[in-house]
C-alpha cells in the first residue's frame, strides 16, 4: 500500500505512507520497505513514527525505527526469528523532561535532561528486558546539577527496580513478582540520606489550588529508612518498618522538625505509630495508635502548636498567631478517617 488513514470521531488516528517491495519464491515471501506514520496519537500527543521493515519467510526485522516524542526522538531496532527468538534495542538521547506534559501530571517537579536505553532478548513467549534511565536535573543549586539513575530488569516472572536519586540522596530497591504463587512476595527498600524535599513539595502543589504557597518558598531534608515485604496476592498485608532520623521543613523563616527519631512499624498490613512527634519551636504534637485496612484508624493526635509556624500555608493573611491545643481522636475506615475531640486556641489573632 502507498497510503492508509484511520479515523475516530473525525480525528486522524493514523496517517501512514509506505514503500514496500516483495517477491514470492517457493511460496515464501521476501521483501523490505519503509513506513512513515505521520499522525500517530500516543498519550494524547500526535507523534510521527518512522520504521523500516524486512521479512524473509517467518523472520521479520525492523532494522530501524524512530518515534519522535515531544521530549525528543527515541530510536531502536527489533527482530523476530522463525524459532520465536527476539532481539531488540532502544535509545533516547537528550530527552527534555519539561516537554513531557503527561509525565508532569504525576511528577510536576521533574525537570532536566534524560538519557534512555533498553534491550530486549529471549523469546516471544518468554521475553527478557533491561532498561536504564539517567536524568540530569535542572533544579540544582548554583552550577551543580544533581543526577538520578533508574535501572529495571525483568522477564515474565518478575520486575526488579533499582534507583539512585539526586546524587544518591535516596536509594530505592523493589521487586515485584508476576506469578500467582502464594510464596511470592513484593519487596521494597527506601533509604534516604538528607534527601531534598523541594521536588516532593512541587508534586504536592499540583494537587492544591492556586492559593497554596509557592513551592519555591518551601524546602527541607529527610533522612530515614523504609523496608517492607508483603505477599504478591495482597501486598498491603505485609510487614516492615519506617524510621525517620531527620525531618526538617523550612518556609519563610519558620522551621518544623522532629524532637526525636520518628518510628513506625508495619505488622501484617497494620501501620503502628510507635514514636511520631513533630516539633516547632518549644511546642510539639504527637501521633499515637495505628491504622490498617480491616479496622481502620485507631489513632490520637495530641499536643500544642504555635500556628504562627503555619503562616506560610495561608498566603492571603499578613499575620497569624496563637497557640492551638488539641486532643483529637482519629477513627473510621482507612480511606475515610473522621476526627473528633477538643481543639482550643489561646492568644489568637489574624
Amino acid at each position: 500500500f502507498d497510503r492508509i488513514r484511520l479515523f475516530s470521531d473525525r480525528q486522524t488516528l493514523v496517517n501512514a505512507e509506505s514503500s514496500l517491495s516483495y517477491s514470492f519464491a517457493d511460496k515464501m515471501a521476501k521483501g523490505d520497505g519503509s513506513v512513515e506514520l505521520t499522525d500517530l496519537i500516543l498519550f494524547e500527543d500526535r507523534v510521527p513514527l518512522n520504521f523500516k521493515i524486512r521479512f524473509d519467510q517467518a523472520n521479520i526485522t525492523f532494522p530501524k525505527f524512530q518515534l519522535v516524542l515531544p521530549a525528543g526522538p527515541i530510536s531502536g531496532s527489533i527482530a523476530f526469528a522463525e524459532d520465536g527468538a527476539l532481539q531488540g534495542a532502544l535509545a533516547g538521547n537528550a530527552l527534555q523532561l519539561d516537554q513531557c506534559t503527561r509525565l508532569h501530571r504525576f511528577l510536576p517537579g521533574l525537570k532536566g535532561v534524560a538519557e534512555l536505553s533498553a534491550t530486549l532478548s529471549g523469546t516471544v513467549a518468554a521475553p527478557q528486558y533491561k532498561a536504564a534511565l539517567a536524568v540530569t536535573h535542572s533544579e540544582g543549586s548554583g552550577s551543580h546539577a544533581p543526577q538520578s539513575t533508574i535501572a529495571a530488569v525483568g522477564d515474565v516472572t518478575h520486575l526488579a527496580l533499582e534507583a539512585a536519586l539526586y546524587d544518591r540522596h535516596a536509594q530505592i530497591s523493589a521487586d515485584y513478582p508476576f506469578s500467582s504463587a502464594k510464596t511470592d512476595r513484593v519487596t521494597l527498600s527506601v533509604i534516604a540520606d538528607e534527601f531534598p524535599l523541594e521536588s516532593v513539595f512541587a508534586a504536592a502543589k499540583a494537587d492544591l489550588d492556586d492559593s497554596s504557597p509557592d513551592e519555591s518558598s518551601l524546602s527541607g531534608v529527610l533522612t530515614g529508612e523504609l523496608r517492607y515485604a508483603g505477599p504478591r496476592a495482597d501486598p498491603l498485608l505485609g510487614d516492615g518498618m519506617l524510621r525517620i532520623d531527620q525531618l526538617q521543613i523550612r518556609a519563610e523563616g519558620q522551621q518544623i522538625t522532629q524532637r526525636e527519631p520518628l518510628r513506625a512499624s508495619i505488622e501484617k498490613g497494620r501501620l503502628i505509630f510507635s514514636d511520631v512527634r513533630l516539633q516547632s519551636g518549644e511546642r510539639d504534637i504527637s501521633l499515637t495508635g495505628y491504622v490498617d485496612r480491616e479496622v481502620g484508624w485507631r489513632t490520637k493526635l495530641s499536643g500544642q502548636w504555635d500556628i504562627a509556624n503555619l503562616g506560610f500555608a495561608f498566603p492571603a493573611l499578613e499575620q497569624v498567631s496563637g497557640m492551638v491545643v488539641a486532643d483529637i481522636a482519629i477513627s473510621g475506615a482507612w480511606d475515610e478517617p473522621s476526627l473528633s475531640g477538643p481543639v482550643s486556641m489561646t492568644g489568637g489573632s489574624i
Side-chain angles (χ1 to χ4, degrees):
F1 60 88
D2 294 322
R3 175 173 293 182
I4 184 172
R5 287 189 176 184
L6 300 178
F7 298 89
S8 176
D9 297 330
R10 298 182 180 179
Q11 287 188 337
T12 304
L13 296 180
V14 174
N15 182 23
E17 295 184 5
S18 69
S19 175
L20 297 175
S21 62
Y22 56 90
S23 63
F24 287 93
D26 299 327
K27 298 182 180 181
M28 294 296 181
K30 295 182 180 181
D32 60 70
S34 61
V35 177
E36 180 180 5
L37 305 181
T38 56
D39 286 299
L40 177 66
I41 295 181
L42 182 65
F43 300 132
E44 301 179 4
D45 293 316
R46 293 182 179 273
V47 297
L49 170 63
N50 306 307
F51 62 89
K52 295 183 180 295
I53 182 173
R54 297 193 187 112
F55 50 93
D56 182 356
Q57 300 181 21
N59 300 302
I60 301 176
T61 304
F62 296 88
K64 181 180 181 181
F65 65 83
Q66 184 178 67
L67 180 65
V68 183
L69 299 174
I74 295 178
S75 58
S77 64
I78 188 170
F80 300 89
E82 183 177 4
D83 61 0
L86 60 85
Q87 196 76 30
L90 187 73
N93 299 318
L95 301 176
Q96 304 297 318
L97 297 180
D98 56 348
Q99 300 298 317
C100 299
T101 55
R102 187 174 180 85
L103 179 63
H104 281 198
R105 297 180 185 179
F106 308 97
L107 298 171
L110 185 60
K111 300 178 181 179
V113 179
E115 304 289 331
L116 171 67
S117 64
T119 60
L120 185 65
S121 60
T123 65
V124 175
Q128 301 174 359
Y129 48 88
K130 295 181 181 180
L133 179 69
V135 178
T136 301
H137 299 275
S138 61
E139 64 266 30
S141 59
S143 59
H144 177 66
Q147 307 281 327
S148 292
T149 59
I150 302 174
V153 179
D155 53 28
V156 294
T157 64
H158 83 292
L159 170 66
L161 180 71
E162 298 284 343
L165 308 180
Y166 287 86
D167 293 341
R168 302 184 68 82
H169 283 293
Q171 300 181 61
I172 302 174
S173 177
D175 194 291
Y176 185 85
F178 296 129
S179 64
S180 57
K182 294 183 179 180
T183 56
D184 287 338
R185 295 174 68 81
V186 177
T187 61
L188 174 65
S189 171
V190 181
I191 300 176
D193 183 9
E194 296 188 348
F195 179 76
L197 295 176
E198 287 78 2
S199 59
V200 178
F201 296 143
K205 181 177 172 59
D207 296 327
L208 301 175
D209 56 34
D210 293 337
S211 64
S212 60
D214 184 357
E215 70 270 16
S216 63
S217 66
L218 297 173
S219 63
V221 295
L222 171 68
T223 298
E225 181 179 4
L226 167 67
R227 295 191 182 276
Y228 183 82
R232 188 264 186 188
D234 202 343
L236 294 181
L237 295 180
D239 302 287
M241 55 81 69
L242 171 66
R243 187 189 74 249
I244 299 179
D245 298 313
Q246 178 188 20
L247 174 62
Q248 292 183 354
I249 301 175
R250 296 179 293 273
E252 299 180 356
Q254 306 295 336
Q255 178 169 293
I256 300 173
T257 184
Q258 87 274 21
R259 184 179 295 277
E260 298 174 354
L262 309 183
R263 301 182 186 277
S265 59
I266 307 171
E267 299 177 5
K268 294 183 179 179
R270 173 173 291 183
L271 178 61
I272 303 172
F273 304 106
S274 305
D275 190 359
V276 180
R277 188 181 300 270
L278 292 176
Q279 177 187 15
S280 180
E282 298 299 322
R283 310 294 180 178
D284 60 39
I285 194 166
S286 63
L287 184 67
T288 58
Y290 64 87
V291 59
D292 66 25
R293 288 197 307 165
E294 300 297 329
V295 179
W297 290 86
R298 297 294 186 270
T299 312
K300 177 171 287 189
L301 181 69
S302 59
Q304 300 179 342
W305 200 265
D306 186 350
I307 62 174
N309 294 324
L310 298 178
F312 65 87
F314 307 96
L317 300 179
E318 293 183 0
Q319 187 266 342
V320 58
S321 63
M323 186 66 61
V324 172
V325 180
D327 188 15
I328 301 174
I330 307 175
S331 59
W334 71 274
D335 56 348
E336 294 182 357
S338 60
L339 309 179
S340 63
V343 178
S344 62
M345 183 174 70
T346 60
S349 66
I350 297 177

